[in-house]
Amino acid sequence: KGSDRGKLLIMFLDKFCKKARNARAKALERVGPVAINEIIRRLTNKDAKTSADGKKRKMAEIIEGLDKKRKITKAEEPTGVVDQTVYMRGGIMFKYLTLPRSCDDCNKNWKNEKHIDCTLPNCCMASVHAELDVRQIKLTIGEHKNLNIREKHAKIRDDEAKHWNVGDRAKEGFDIKSMRFFQPQSELMKGHLDKCMEELNKEKGITIETHG
């Protein structure tokens, strides 16, 4: 029973202590107090343990290693690539360019598989077309009508990647999916910069107060 455990432990310790006292008395009779103290010292001295020798050797190796010039591995070498976030560089997030942020005419004509030359500011579809033109990315009439806005700005991503995937970044193994924003070249697309940053701040829960 649980209530008997304490009682049984005390009974065991009482018997153990009696045996230990008897054993010590017999040992004193046989070898004397000096020898007994020496045995106790050897058993309780940490430096005398076998593991202490191994620990000392290991510490010596570590200290020796600290004094040596360490070889820098390839993975630790600097690549010379510093990727700046959209907050640092500014730019247009690809996910910002959506059909709902386009004008009513662009929405209606795309759904009816028609193409119009829209130049309205703040219209994402018009800005994507303008950006494609400035970058000299040609679309067929069929692509203009049938490709959705995401498929169109994917072509901008491909073009932007040509400028990113060079030098040390190319050596690292560039993944085009890691490109989340681009630097606009057309005036229509540049007109979205402030609004895009405002939306990004809202996503992150950042509120910027202006004092005028």
Side-chain angles (χ1 to χ4, degrees):
K1 294 181 180 180
S3 59
D4 293 331
R5 288 178 183 173
K7 181 180 178 181
L8 292 171
L9 178 61
I10 292 171
M11 290 171 62
F12 168 77
L13 289 174
D14 185 54
K15 290 180 180 179
F16 176 80
C17 290
K18 286 178 180 178
K19 288 182 178 180
R21 285 194 294 269
N22 290 335
R24 182 180 176 82
K26 290 179 181 179
L28 284 170
E29 291 177 4
R30 290 182 182 180
V31 298
V34 176
I36 291 293
N37 290 335
E38 178 61 20
I39 292 171
I40 294 172
R41 187 193 67 78
R42 289 178 61 186
L43 290 174
T44 57
N45 187 1
K46 293 181 180 179
D47 294 332
K49 291 186 176 181
T50 305
S51 60
D53 293 335
K55 191 181 292 183
K56 288 177 182 177
R57 284 196 301 271
K58 194 67 179 176
M59 285 300 297
E61 290 173 5
I62 292 172
I63 293 170
E64 184 181 353
L66 290 173
D67 294 333
K68 288 182 179 179
K69 187 176 180 180
R70 191 172 70 84
K71 182 180 179 182
I72 305 297
T73 64
K74 187 68 178 176
E76 294 174 301
E77 290 179 0
T79 61
V81 175
V82 178
D83 285 329
Q84 294 176 310
T85 66
V86 66
Y87 281 109
M88 296 167 67
R89 292 183 63 191
I92 301 294
M93 299 288 290
F94 285 105
K95 67 179 182 180
Y96 173 81
L97 302 171
T98 61
L99 198 59
R101 292 194 177 101
S102 303
C103 70
D104 291 340
D105 285 341
C106 280
N107 270 276
K108 182 173 64 176
N109 281 279
W110 180 79
K111 289 173 183 175
N112 293 324
E113 297 186 359
K114 293 180 180 179
H115 170 64
I116 58 171
D117 292 321
C118 177
T119 56
L120 286 176
N122 300 321
C123 172
C124 283
M125 183 67 89
S127 301
V128 167
H129 290 159
E131 191 71 18
L132 289 169
D133 288 342
V134 169
R135 293 171 182 263
Q136 297 183 344
I137 301 170
K138 304 298 182 183
L139 297 183
T140 65
I141 296 297
E143 287 175 325
H144 267 296
K145 293 178 179 179
N146 300 317
L147 293 182
N148 61 37
I149 193 168
R150 185 172 183 176
E151 291 168 326
K152 288 175 180 177
H153 69 56
K155 293 181 178 294
I156 298 173
R157 187 197 298 265
D158 292 338
D159 183 69
E160 189 80 357
K162 296 174 185 176
H163 307 292
W164 277 47
N165 193 19
V166 293
D168 290 323
R169 186 179 280 108
K171 296 175 188 176
E172 283 191 320
F174 174 71
D175 181 8
I176 195 170
K177 292 179 181 178
S178 65
M179 284 188 62
R180 302 185 185 278
F181 70 99
F182 67 97
Q183 297 300 309
Q185 296 181 17
S186 67
E187 292 305 314
L188 269 183
M189 190 64 79
K190 289 177 183 177
H192 292 278
L193 284 168
D194 290 341
K195 188 67 177 175
C196 182
M197 188 58 67
E198 183 182 318
E199 289 294 322
L200 189 59
N201 287 334
K202 190 185 296 182
E203 263 185 34
K204 304 293 183 183
I206 300 171
T207 303
I208 300 176
E209 295 183 2
T210 56
H211 302 279

